Amino acid sequence: MRSSPQRVLRLLVVAIFGLASALVPLSAALAANSVTVYYSTTWTTANIHYQPTGGAWTTVPGVGMNETACTGWKKKTVNLGTATGLKAAFNNGSGTWDNNGGADHTIGTGVSTVKNGVVTGNAADPCVPEAPDTEKPSTPTGVTAAATGVSIALAWSAATDNVGVTGYKVTRTGGTGGTKVVDVTATAHSDTGLVENTLYRYTVQARDAAGNLSGASEEAGATTGKKPEAPEGGTPLGGDPREDSIYFVMTARFADGDTSNNRGGSQHVKSGNAANNDPMFRGDFKGLVDKLDYIKGLGFSALWITPVVLNRSDYDFHGYHGWDFYRVDPRLESEGTSYQDLINAAHAKGIKIYQDVVYNHSSRWGAKGLFTPTVWGARDDQWKWLYSEKEAGREYNPMQEHQGNDPNLTAAQNAMAKGRPYNGDQWSTTEPAGNTCRNWGTPTQWSSPEGYRIHNCQWPNPTSGMFPANYYHQCWIGNWEGEDSRSCWLHDDLADFNTESKAVQDYLIDVYNRYIDMGVDGFRVDTAVHIPRVTWNRRFLPAIREHATAKFGAEKAKDFYVFGEVAAFVHDKWNRGSVNHSAQFFTWKERKEYSADDVRAAIEQYDYENLMGSGNQPTSTNATLNGNTYHAPDHSRFSGMNVIDMRMHMNFGEASNAFHNGKDSDDSYNDATYNTVYVDSHDYGPNKSSVRYDGGTDAWAENMSLMWTFRGIPTLYYGSEIEFQAGKPIDCGPTCPLATTGRAYFGDHLAGSVTASGFGTVSSASGAVAQTLDKPLVKHVQRLNQIRRAVPALQKGQYSTEGVSGGMAYKRRFTQGSVDSFVLVSVSGNATFTGIPNGTYVDAVTGDSKTVTGGTLTVSLSGKGNMRAYVLALPGNPAPGKIGSAGPYLR
C-alpha cells in the first residue's frame, strides 16, 4: 500500500523519538559507570593511577587530577565504560605515593571522596558548602544550684537538637566579678572559689556544632557559705614500713567522688571512652577519701597512688607526663578535697600515703619552672584545629577543654580540636628568640595522620636541638642494657632529664621537698633504673633523707619508705648479666670514689661495675636467719633506696617459681625484707605479660598466701581482690577504650557505703561494695592482713629454709627489744621442720596447738592457697592463737 507524505512524516517522527527514547537508558548507563574522585591532599600536583574492575592499570604515574575543585582537594572524573569500579593509588608526580599501605583504594561508581585513607562512597561534593544548620537546640530545663562552702554545684536536664548538642553555655551573675560565662560539655558544672555569703544566679543555654544557641533556661541561684579553712600540713605516720601492706591505685581510675573535675581530653572520642561515658580522668582524691574505709576494711595500711603533679599530654590520666611539678593536677582535686586533705584523711585512719614520683623525665612539653620548649605552629587551614588562638597571659589549664564548636573550623576540624586544652602558650610561627631547634618551621617529607604536612620543630624530640643539653639528654635509647639507657630518651612523650646537671638536680630536689613537707610517708620512684646509681647515691637519696630529717626528725626520716622501679623483665638473678640494670644493684652504696663531675662519674661507675660483673657484687645476710636466731641487720652500706622485687614479679605465674627465684636473689639485696612484692601492676603481669594476671582464683589465693607470709612487703594492684579485668590488656593507650583494659574504672564495684571497724574488718556495707566485699579473694586478703599484723615475724622477720622440707615452707623470726616472734609457715602443702626450738606452737589459721619436745614439727596441709603459721609461745610473747574466721582458703 502506498503511503501519503503525511503518513511518512508521522512515521519518521515516531522513529526519531523512539530512537531517542531508546538512547536515554544507554546514556544513563554510561553516566552511571563513571566515577568522580575527590582526593584530600596538600600536594600541589596530584595524579590518580587506576585500574578499572577487570581492566588494566594506567601507565605510571596515572592521569592528572586537574579538574576544578577547591583548596585541599584534587578532582578527576573517570569514564568506566562497563566496569563497576576501580582500584586507585595517588601520587604527587615526584615519587611520593598513597597506595593505602599497599592495598590500594577501592572506589565504586558515582562521587567518592578519599581522605586520610578512608573512601566515602556516594559522597557529597566536598567543595560545595553544606546547607547551614540554623535550628537552635531546645532550652535546658530543670536547672538546680546547690552551695557547699564557697562552691556551687549546678545540674540540669540534657537539651535536644536536630543534629546534636555539643555543649552548654553557663552564665553567672552576682558577686564582685560581674558576669562570667563558661562553656561545658556535661550537664553539670562546679563553680568554685566564690566569695563567701554571696548570692549567685545562673542560666544555661545549649549549643550545637553550628554554634546555634538555645534560649536561656530559667534562672537558678544559691548563696555561698563560709570558705573552708586550708588543711594543715601533714606529718608522716612513721613506723617500720614492713609492718604495712600496700594497696596500689591509679587515682584517676579508682573512684569518682566529684564528676565536675572529670575530663576526657582530646582522645575521648577516638579512644572509644566517650561511647562508654568513661572520661580518662574520672577518679579523684574525693573518691579516694570516700573509699578509705574500703581500703582499710581490706586490711591495707599503706596506699600507693600514681603521680599527682600537673600533667600535659593527650592521654595523661596515669600521671607520668609531668609538666608543672610544683602543682597538683586539678583534675584530681575538688573543693574541700585537696591532695593535703587526702593525706590528712588517710593518716586519720592509720593509712600511709606513698606518692609515685618521677625524677627521670618530664612530659614532652618540658617542665614548667625549668624549661618548656616552644614548637613551630600556625593557625593556617591545615593546623588551626590543633593550635589555640593566642591570648596574652593565658596558659595551659586542662580543666578548660575545647568544646568543638569553633565557627572558624570545619565540622571535621572541630571534631579533632574537641577536648584539647588551651595551647597558645606553646607554639609560634616565627622563630622565637634563643631558639636552638634546627631548620625552624621548614616543611618535612612527612605528613600527619590527618594528611597535613609536618614541619621541623613542630614536635619535641631529643635530636632536633630543641632541648638544651643542660636540662635534657639529646639521644634515643639504643641498648636497653647499655649506658645509653641511663642517658637517653625512652619515648617521644617522655623528655629525659639531664639528671647529672646541677640545675635539674636542684629543681627536682626542691619539687619533691614540697611533697615531703605535706607529710607523705614515702616515694615510689618511677623509672629509677634510667638514672645512674651514683647520681641517686650522691644527690637525690641524701636530699630526701636530709629534708625529711630536718622537717620531721631522724626517726620519721628513717621510716620514710623509698622504693624504686628498676625494670628488669627477665627471670634471671641479674638482668641479662648487667649489674647496672638489675634491681638489687640500686640498694647498695658506691664502693669507690668517682670523678667530682657527675657526668664523668656516671660513666666511670657504669664501666667499673660492668667490669666487676655479677660475680663480684656485695652480698648480705640481712634477710636470712642464723639457724633459728635473728641477728641485727647491717645497713651500713644501704643506699637509701629499696626496690620492687622484679624477679618475683616476673615469676609469679606460679607461686612456687616466685618463691624459689626470690630466695635465690636475696643475698644480692642489701635487705630483701624491705622489697616491694606484687604479682602484677599497671605495666605488666608475670612473665612480662601484657594482660592482667589471669591464673585463676586458686592461683591468686596461693600467690597472696606466699606474699603475706614470706619476706618483703605485700602489694596489691587495685581490683585484684576480685580478679578485676583478669586477662584484659593492661594498657593500649588511646587505641581502645579504657573500659576494655586493666586500667578500667573500678568505682562501680565500690558504689554504696562501707565502714571499717579495723584493719581487715568491716562493720557495715551496703550497695555494690557489699557484694565486692563478699568475694572469695577479698575474704582471703582480709584474713591474711589480720594474721600478718598480729605476728611481727611475718612482717619484719628474717627467714630460713634450713631443716625445712616442703614445697613452700620456711621459718621466720624477728627479735628486737622485748619482742621475740618465731613462726613456721607452710603454703599449699605438707612440711616438716626439724632442728627448731622446743615449746608450744599455735597455728594462727586454725588455732591448732602442737608441743615440740624433740625439735621437729610436722604440718599436714592440703588445698591450694591454704596455709599454716605455727607461732612459738615465748616468754613475754605469747602466741596469738587463731586469728580471724575460717574462709574460702584459710581453713
Side-chain angles (χ1 to χ4, degrees):
M1 185 172 97
R2 190 173 182 180
S3 299
S4 67
Q6 291 83 356
R7 178 175 174 82
V8 171
L9 181 59
R10 286 198 301 269
L11 290 173
L12 182 59
V13 170
V14 170
I16 292 172
F17 277 93
L19 177 60
S21 63
L23 288 174
V24 168
L26 177 60
S27 63
L30 289 174
N33 283 352
S34 67
V35 57
T36 299
V37 181
Y38 287 89
Y39 179 63
S40 174
T41 183
T42 57
W43 296 337
T44 303
T45 300
N47 301 308
I48 178 171
H49 175 49
Y50 66 90
Q51 177 194 37
T53 304
W57 283 93
T58 56
T59 302
V60 174
V63 297
M65 302 186 72
N66 47 21
E67 298 176 22
T68 302
C70 55
T71 302
W73 292 93
K74 301 296 183 182
K75 176 184 177 183
K76 183 64 178 177
T77 301
V78 176
N79 192 332
L80 296 175
T82 58
T84 57
L86 56 77
K87 283 189 174 182
F90 303 91
N91 65 86
N92 67 353
S94 299
T96 301
W97 284 79
D98 170 11
N99 62 1
N100 195 26
D104 299 316
H105 300 278
T106 300
I107 303 172
T109 57
V111 177
S112 292
T113 60
V114 183
K115 182 176 183 179
N116 299 332
V118 177
V119 176
T120 303
N122 298 317
D125 185 337
C127 294
V128 175
E130 295 181 8
D133 173 17
T134 59
E135 185 173 334
K136 297 179 180 179
S138 66
T139 300
T141 60
V143 182
T144 61
T148 302
V150 289
S151 298
I152 294 178
L154 299 172
W156 56 90
S157 299
T160 59
D161 184 67
N162 62 315
V163 176
V165 173
T166 60
Y168 296 89
K169 175 182 176 182
V170 179
T171 302
R172 182 191 79 197
T173 57
T176 58
T179 300
K180 179 183 177 182
V181 177
V182 63
D183 288 323
V184 300
T185 55
T187 56
H189 172 61
S190 181
D191 200 7
T192 60
L194 303 174
V195 179
E196 292 179 326
N197 304 314
T198 302
L199 173 64
Y200 292 90
R201 299 184 184 279
Y202 301 84
T203 59
V204 181
Q205 294 171 274
R207 177 186 281 110
D208 62 18
N212 298 311
L213 277 174
S214 73
S217 68
E218 291 187 5
E219 194 174 70
T223 301
T224 56
K226 294 282 290 180
K227 180 179 180 180
E229 293 186 9
E232 295 182 2
T235 300
L237 289 178
D240 193 315
R242 297 173 297 177
E243 296 173 1
D244 302 298
S245 57
I246 303 171
Y247 193 70
F248 169 37
V249 304
M250 299 192 80
T251 308
R253 307 303 301 156
F254 186 65
D256 188 5
D258 176 9
T259 58
S260 71
N261 59 12
N262 293 355
R263 293 295 183 273
S266 64
Q267 306 301 300
H268 191 45
V269 174
K270 175 185 175 182
S271 64
N273 293 336
N276 295 321
N277 192 24
D278 184 25
M280 61 172 182
F281 267 92
R282 189 171 177 185
D284 46 41
F285 295 147
K286 190 173 190 306
L288 264 179
V289 169
D290 292 345
K291 299 305 175 185
L292 286 173
D293 268 36
Y294 171 77
I295 295 166
K296 184 172 184 175
L298 292 177
F300 293 94
S301 52
L303 178 60
W304 160 18
I305 60 173
T306 40
V308 303
V309 303
L310 175 57
N311 270 229
R312 188 168 190 173
S313 77
D314 286 341
Y315 214 55
D316 54 8
F317 65 93
H318 44 69
Y320 298 99
H321 295 166
W323 180 71
D324 189 343
F325 286 69
Y326 286 102
R327 184 181 173 196
V328 174
D329 201 302
R331 293 168 289 188
L332 298 175
E333 294 192 306
S334 307
E335 185 76 33
T337 314
S338 65
Y339 183 36
Q340 187 69 68
D341 287 309
L342 169 63
I343 295 168
N344 295 352
H347 285 176
K349 292 186 180 293
I351 298 173
K352 295 178 180 179
I353 294 290
Y354 294 151
Q355 178 178 327
D356 211 320
V357 296
V358 185
Y359 286 76
N360 178 69
H361 58 263
S362 71
S363 75
R364 61 155 57 102
W365 305 113
K368 186 182 178 186
L370 181 70
F371 173 78
T372 54
T374 298
V375 299
W376 179 90
R379 291 272 299 170
D380 58 17
D381 287 341
Q382 289 192 56
W383 292 111
K384 61 185 177 183
W385 61 273
L386 181 61
Y387 297 112
S388 307
E389 191 81 50
K390 288 181 173 293
E391 299 178 32
R394 185 178 177 186
E395 69 172 19
Y396 167 74
N397 180 355
M399 296 297 286
Q400 300 169 353
E401 296 182 337
H402 194 288
Q403 300 301 303
N405 54 16
D406 187 340
N408 296 312
L409 300 181
T410 66
Q413 289 175 330
N414 265 311
M416 292 188 291
K418 188 173 183 180
R420 294 185 182 277
Y422 174 79
N423 65 4
D425 60 334
Q426 190 180 74
W427 65 271
S428 173
T429 304
T430 58
E431 184 172 355
N435 170 61
T436 56
C437 185
R438 293 178 288 276
N439 302 314
W440 177 269
T442 58
T444 70
Q445 62 177 314
W446 310 110
S447 295
S448 71
E450 298 80 19
Y452 302 138
R453 178 67 61 225
I454 292 175
H455 295 243
N456 279 310
C457 306
Q458 190 170 4
W459 302 106
N461 74 74
T463 60
S464 66
M466 180 178 290
F467 288 83
N470 190 44
Y471 301 128
Y472 286 91
H473 288 135
Q474 306 286 298
C475 51
W476 297 105
I477 290 179
N479 179 4
W480 290 90
E481 278 77 47
E483 196 286 324
D484 56 340
S485 75
R486 313 179 313 159
S487 57
C488 297
W489 287 36
L490 295 166
H491 197 272
D492 65 357
D493 58 6
L494 305 176
D496 202 75
F497 283 131
N498 179 0
T499 47
E500 287 62 67
S501 159
K502 186 176 187 304
V504 173
Q505 293 167 358
D506 290 347
Y507 172 82
L508 290 170
I509 289 169
D510 186 54
V511 160
Y512 289 120
N513 281 349
R514 297 179 181 229
Y515 296 101
I516 293 172
D517 290 346
M518 295 177 76
V520 297
D521 302 275
F523 287 157
R524 181 267 186 182
V525 182
D526 183 68
T527 50
V529 68
H530 297 292
I531 296 175
R533 186 182 73 177
V534 65
T535 304
W536 284 115
N537 284 341
R538 279 185 176 184
R539 308 302 175 197
F540 298 131
L541 294 171
I544 292 171
R545 177 62 61 87
E546 290 165 10
H547 191 76
T549 300
K551 182 72 175 178
F552 302 112
E555 192 64 25
K556 290 285 179 72
K558 179 175 70 70
D559 293 335
F560 192 92
Y561 184 52
V562 179
F563 57 111
E565 179 204 23
V566 182
F569 303 114
V570 296
H571 295 85
D572 309 330
K573 183 172 184 176
W574 297 97
N575 183 8
R576 297 185 177 91
S578 175
V579 296
N580 282 283
H581 300 86
S582 299
Q584 59 267 48
F585 180 76
F586 284 76
T587 65
W588 297 93
K589 288 181 178 179
E590 302 310 322
R591 48 182 169 165
K592 71 182 298 290
E593 290 295 321
Y594 300 109
S595 168
D597 176 77
D598 284 353
V599 175
R600 290 182 59 193
I603 300 296
E604 291 173 2
Q605 178 249 291
Y606 177 86
D607 290 342
Y608 175 77
E609 294 294 354
N610 210 37
L611 180 65
M612 296 299 289
S614 60
N616 293 293
Q617 294 300 311
T619 59
S620 166
T621 60
N622 284 338
T624 51
L625 295 168
N626 289 335
N628 295 317
T629 304
Y630 181 86
H631 61 93
D634 177 8
H635 293 148
S636 61
R637 293 182 293 168
F638 174 50
S639 67
M641 181 184 289
N642 301 288
V643 290
I644 295 167
D645 197 318
M646 295 302 293
R647 194 175 183 194
M648 287 192 73
H649 166 44
M650 285 294 101
N651 283 279
F652 256 121
E654 291 285 345
S656 59
N657 285 342
F659 171 61
H660 291 293
N661 278 276
K663 281 198 308 172
D664 181 55
S665 291
D666 282 354
D667 65 341
S668 59
Y669 294 95
N670 181 268
D671 190 342
T673 66
Y674 286 87
N675 285 10
T676 311
V677 181
Y678 58 61
V679 172
D680 67 354
S681 74
H682 60 329
D683 288 326
Y684 291 104
N687 302 307
K688 203 180 179 182
S689 167
S690 61
V691 302
R692 285 193 71 158
Y693 182 67
D694 60 349
T697 310
D698 292 352
W700 251 122
E702 185 175 59
N703 286 341
M704 289 176 173
S705 292
L706 175 64
M707 285 195 294
W708 261 257
T709 57
F710 190 46
R711 59 94 183 123
I713 301 172
T715 302
L716 198 68
Y717 183 38
Y718 81 96
S720 295
E721 65 273 20
I722 63 168
E723 299 176 85
F724 181 60
Q725 300 295 93
K728 298 294 178 64
I730 292 172
D731 174 35
C732 59
T735 65
C736 73
L738 281 166
T740 65
T741 74
R743 299 176 174 186
Y745 177 67
F746 192 57
D748 294 338
H749 296 277
L750 304 177
S753 64
V754 55
T755 302
S757 52
F759 288 101
T761 58
V762 172
S763 58
S764 66
S766 62
V769 70
Q771 299 174 31
T772 298
L773 289 165
D774 202 38
K775 299 291 185 181
L777 288 178
V778 169
K779 300 293 186 186
H780 188 53
V781 77
Q782 285 177 314
R783 193 160 186 223
L784 285 170
N785 270 318
Q786 293 169 15
I787 292 170
R788 188 175 186 274
R789 291 179 66 84
V791 182
L794 295 179
Q795 303 166 12
K796 300 172 283 189
Q798 295 164 344
Y799 77 94
S800 174
T801 57
E802 180 184 347
V804 180
S805 66
M808 287 184 285
Y810 36 90
K811 52 189 176 182
R812 297 190 68 185
R813 190 167 200 163
F814 176 75
T815 306
Q816 188 178 76
S818 61
V819 175
D820 191 7
S821 176
F822 185 77
V823 62
L824 310 175
V825 177
S826 182
V827 176
S828 296
N830 300 331
T832 299
F833 300 84
T834 60
I836 60 173
N838 292 330
T840 300
Y841 291 78
V842 183
D843 178 27
V845 176
T846 63
D848 177 54
S849 179
K850 294 181 183 293
T851 300
V852 173
T853 56
T856 299
L857 186 150
T858 299
V859 173
S860 297
L861 176 66
S862 62
K864 192 168 187 175
N866 202 356
M867 180 195 73
R868 294 292 178 264
Y870 280 90
V871 181
L872 175 62
L874 291 164
N877 293 272
K882 180 180 178 180
I883 301 168
S885 303
Y889 289 98
L890 300 181
R891 55 189 188 275

